[in-house]
Amino acid sequence: MEELTYSFESLATKKMTIRGPVNPLSTPIYLSSTFVLESAKHGAELSEQKEVSKGSSPYLYSRWGNPTNDVCQRLITSLEGGEGTIITASGMNAITTAVLSLVQRGDHMVVTRNVYGGAYEFFTDILPKLSGVEVTWVNQENIQEYIDAIKPNTKLFYGETIANPSMVTLDVERLAKEAQAKGIVSILDCTFSSVYNIQPIKLGIDIVIHSASKYYGGHSDLIAGTITARTPELLTKLNHFHRILGGTASPNTSHLLQRGIKTLYLRMKQHNQNALVIAKFLESHPKVENVYFLGLETHRQHELAKKQFGDKGYGGMISFDLKGGYEAGKNFVESLKLITLAVSLGGIESLIQHCASMTHTMVPKEDRLKSGITDGMLRFSVGCENVDDLIRDLENAFAAVN
Ligand SMILES: Cc1ncc(COP(=O)(O)O)c(C=O)c1O
């Protein structure tokens, strides 16, 4: 029989569960911390991470592996590509686990200046104290800055496919190529682009991270992260650290995540489409100073973005500055009715927030401005509502701003 290869849409919705005498269509939630052992030999095989005898359960203890989590991990790997995926307790746990697995005292890493606030805090506060790892900050728009920053002890390149919240991208293929040529591990946080719009592992990136609390889950009802590794060696290292650091996701969360993934491509199509319409509307509005969205032809990285994400879309995240700065922004967000004032993003409902006073308070003003986050910047997670309703809500709020 011909071996079929499936498209993203079919992979995301395809039945993927646990076989057994009951054979459910959707994955059961295995709420068990531990698993019954058939014999002392079985227990020893599992503890020593050896292959178990045919027909025996491969599960020992849920921090080491859980059937519900495993199904969701396999599903994510089928979408991302690569060797395997680990679902973690949060996106931050995915970042910290991946980085701590790959660096040790005296190492050096190169990180985009446009990094997510929580990751910034980890790289500036916790990582140097724990391990003395040195970080060089670069502008990810210019891959040459990563190359120029390389030292003999450089172990990692770290970037974001679409940076939070400045919305700049990087040349994914070039970063992967340069990292591989120099034996440096490349990590990309792909939360904003989503796996539907780009799959960097297939372009040679070593490790892809997502805050699955966002587009992967898609319904603002869970906190989780994903780490996908391109090679078996990296996956083994990551699994070892993950088991010890202990950021295991709950099987309840994996169940919700798997359910969310079934409609990921439908949601992303709507997010991509709505955000492009709204970005154009904002760009033409007289009360808007700047709009940051890769899908706009006026964006300085539009050509690169078109090459990387163009067939799918540019995601649902838009940042913009209102004329009148923080005060205008405050009145604006408090006047919205359909769009909700809340941090987080990537759910079907539209959310808006003020970066400097909410998601990026931990980044000192000087560093914030260097990474393009102005005092008045608003970050808008465009949802799946009717786009005309969203525009009407925005128009009403603009009317309330002087
Ligand atoms: C780009 C990015 N990476 C990582 C995270 C952290 O994810 P979590 O909140 O799931 O820990 C976030 C959270 O907003 C994010 O926006």
Side-chain angles (χ1 to χ4, degrees), residues 90-93 95 116 160 164 189 191-192 211-214 223-224 345 379:
S90 66
M92 272 313 297
N93 186 252
I95 295 170
Y116 163 64
E160 295 188 8
N164 175 4
D189 180 334
T191 303
F192 271 38
S211 165
S213 327
K214 314 297 191 289
I223 295 285
L345 59 111
R379 194 191 70 186

Side-chain angles (χ1 to χ4, degrees), residues 72 75-76 87-88 212-218 221-222 224-226 249 251-262 267:
C72 196
L75 172 61
I76 291 171
I87 298 175
T88 56
S213 327
K214 314 297 191 289
Y215 287 119
Y216 253 130
D221 54 6
L222 63 88
T226 69
N252 284 312
T253 302
S254 287
H255 181 82
L256 277 178
L257 192 51
Q258 193 189 358
R259 184 185 164 117
I261 292 171
K262 289 177 202 247
R267 290 185 277 108

Side-chain angles (χ1 to χ4, degrees), residues 148-205:
D148 293 344
I150 295 175
K151 298 182 179 191
N153 55 345
T154 304
K155 292 290 163 24
L156 284 184
F157 282 169
Y158 187 101
E160 295 188 8
T161 38
I162 301 179
N164 175 4
S166 54
M167 308 299 162
V168 292
T169 188
L170 41 62
D171 187 333
V172 175
E173 260 182 295
R174 172 134 191 251
L175 187 81
K177 202 169 126 231
E178 298 291 349
Q180 281 191 29
K182 312 264 178 335
I184 293 168
V185 176
S186 53
I187 303 188
L188 283 188
D189 180 334
C190 301
T191 303
F192 271 38
S193 54
S194 92
V195 62
Y196 178 68
N197 289 352
I198 189 169
Q199 293 126 34
I201 295 265
K202 296 178 186 167
L203 300 172
I205 291 293

Side-chain angles (χ1 to χ4, degrees), residues 76-90:
I76 291 171
T77 307
S78 77
L79 302 177
E80 298 276 1
E83 190 59 28
T85 297
I86 302 169
I87 298 175
T88 56
S90 66

